[in-house]
Amino acid sequence: PPLDSLINLYDFEYLASQILTKQAWGYYSSAADDEVTYRENHAAYHRIFFKPRILINVKECDLSTTMLGTKMDLPFYVSATALCKLGNPSEGEKDIARGCGMGEFNLTQMISTLASCSLKEIVEAKVNDKQTQWFQLYVNADRKITDNLIKNVEELGLKAIFVTVDAPSLGRREKDMKIKFDPSKTPEITNEDKSHKKQQNTRGASKALSTFIDPSLTWNDVIDIKKKTKLPVVIKGVQCTADILKAAEIGVDGVVLSNHGGRQLDFSRAPIEVLAEAMPILKEKGLDKKLEVYIDGGVRRGTDVLKALCLGAKGVGLGRPFLYANSCYGKDGVNRLKEMLADEIEMNMRLLGVTKISDLKPEYLDMISLHAR
Ligand code: FMN
């Protein structure tokens, strides 16, 4: 169908379910076990309501904000997803870079360690020099590989490192497991060694990728990474207040509240619930100024983004929606999805009676039902 006949993020998902290969759909859409957390990530947003203000001049509305010291046009970003070539075989992550830089707004792209284009290719695919890219780091058991990656990331001008910590082993993703992993049909991972290519006959792409990740990672490794780079370091995959406080203590620049889109521990709580619990505590301790809090998982509407921002998130990440848009329409799909979400955010900000991101506050929310799971 023509791209302009799609009107929301769910339309991309439905189309992807119809046209992607079984392997791509299985890997992209799957989540852990019974997928309870996957559903809850989005469902939790449905238990928060707004308290809009009236009779405010909302003619001019500004979506720009700052993340990790960089000015951003939009308060959301593309979160890291492995293997973008499964759905967009020729262009993969490069088309995400292009779509992010097209049109009125630049969007930030977080690039996965398990990307299927080389980091250099993805950086060179940017279409204007105001675009920001971040790097998502899986720490390899061989720390030399990790050190080289970090050096490469700095040289190529990426703006931050997000260390993923919620995947000491990969969750049980049964949709993906049902499809036998065929190395010859799977795009190369270009940033790392090629050990997954030797993995014959494993069940699913996830299982094959898991060889990259060091399960012995601890807080000390993150402290080491922080020492090794001048770039901001953010811990991705934090799931409770105690760990946010610990992250602040070791001096990282931020955390992403995330359960990996429900792909890891099933029955992890929705990140929006963790955010609602943690922010008042961080504010009370004055740590909200020291540490930026990001969130991802289940974000599918402009109103989801607004709720997270009201609760104090600095930025909101989306994974699958961009994979689907990129798989169905390449860079144009990525750009369209970005515009759709920007439009939804802008329109709903007006209806809420707010004209800039920094004015979004918990006072605009009714949280009474959040815990009524
Ligand atoms: N997170 C990482 O930190 N590194 C990855 O390589 C990575 N690959 C992913 C691959 C797929 C197919 C999906 C769906 C998610 C992946 N994630 C990865 C998690 C995303 O960064 C993000 O946390 C999650 O997708 C957010 O949930 P959403 O898909 O509901 O937006």
Side-chain angles (χ1 to χ4, degrees), residues 131-148:
Q131 277 182 255
T132 303
Q133 290 173 322
W134 290 332
F135 187 69
Q136 176 271 319
L137 181 69
Y138 276 130
V139 178
N140 199 287
D142 179 353
R143 293 294 193 273
K144 271 194 239 101
I145 293 183
T146 299
D147 289 354
N148 286 337

Side-chain angles (χ1 to χ4, degrees), residues 229-373:
T229 180
K230 291 207 172 63
L231 292 176
V233 173
V234 178
I235 304 182
K236 176 174 182 284
V238 177
Q239 305 194 51
C240 68
T241 305
D243 280 346
I244 306 176
L245 296 176
K246 182 112 193 203
E249 203 179 294
I250 68 163
V252 291
D253 301 275
V255 292
V256 186
L257 307 184
S258 169
N259 52 40
H260 217 106
R263 291 160 75 82
Q264 290 297 99
L265 179 65
D266 204 12
F267 293 95
S268 313
R269 292 180 301 162
I272 190 72
E273 194 176 320
V274 181
L275 182 71
E277 172 189 279
M279 279 323 284
I281 299 170
L282 291 188
K283 279 183 191 157
E284 189 190 297
K285 294 181 183 287
L287 293 173
D288 57 321
K289 302 278 177 293
K290 212 182 140 205
L291 184 90
E292 294 189 352
V293 180
Y294 295 83
I295 184 168
D296 74 38
V299 175
R300 302 292 182 266
R301 282 287 186 190
T303 48
D304 298 341
V305 175
L306 289 172
K307 288 170 188 175
L309 296 172
C310 282
L311 288 176
K314 218 31 196 150
V316 178
L318 291 89
R320 293 180 186 83
F322 282 103
L323 276 173
Y324 299 147
N326 184 38
S327 304
C328 296
Y329 296 96
K331 60 182 189 313
D332 297 324
V334 171
N335 179 47
R336 182 73 197 107
L337 198 152
K338 166 180 79 180
E339 286 174 353
M340 273 180 189
L341 200 57
D343 285 351
E344 285 191 19
I345 294 171
E346 185 174 334
M347 191 197 78
N348 287 302
M349 261 171 88
R350 289 207 169 91
L351 296 177
L352 196 56
V354 176
T355 57
K356 50 183 205 295
I357 300 295
S358 56
D359 286 347
L360 292 162
K361 294 276 148 56
E363 291 80 64
Y364 290 100
L365 301 180
D366 176 338
M367 304 290 293
I368 285 173
S369 320
L370 178 62
H371 294 283
R373 280 196 284 250

Side-chain angles (χ1 to χ4, degrees), residues 24 26-30 38 41-42 77-83 86 110-115 136-138 162-167 173 209 213 236-237 256-263 295-300 317-324:
Y27 178 63
Y28 288 175
S29 68
S30 59
Y38 170 75
N41 280 352
H42 184 64
Y77 60 88
V78 184
S79 193
T81 47
L83 296 181
L86 268 182
M110 189 194 295
I111 301 168
S112 169
T113 296
L114 306 179
Q136 176 271 319
L137 181 69
Y138 276 130
F162 286 69
V163 187
T164 298
V165 299
D166 58 11
R173 304 163 191 172
L209 292 180
I213 304 166
K236 176 174 182 284
V256 186
L257 307 184
S258 169
N259 52 40
H260 217 106
R263 291 160 75 82
I295 184 168
D296 74 38
V299 175
R300 302 292 182 266
L318 291 89
R320 293 180 186 83
F322 282 103
L323 276 173
Y324 299 147

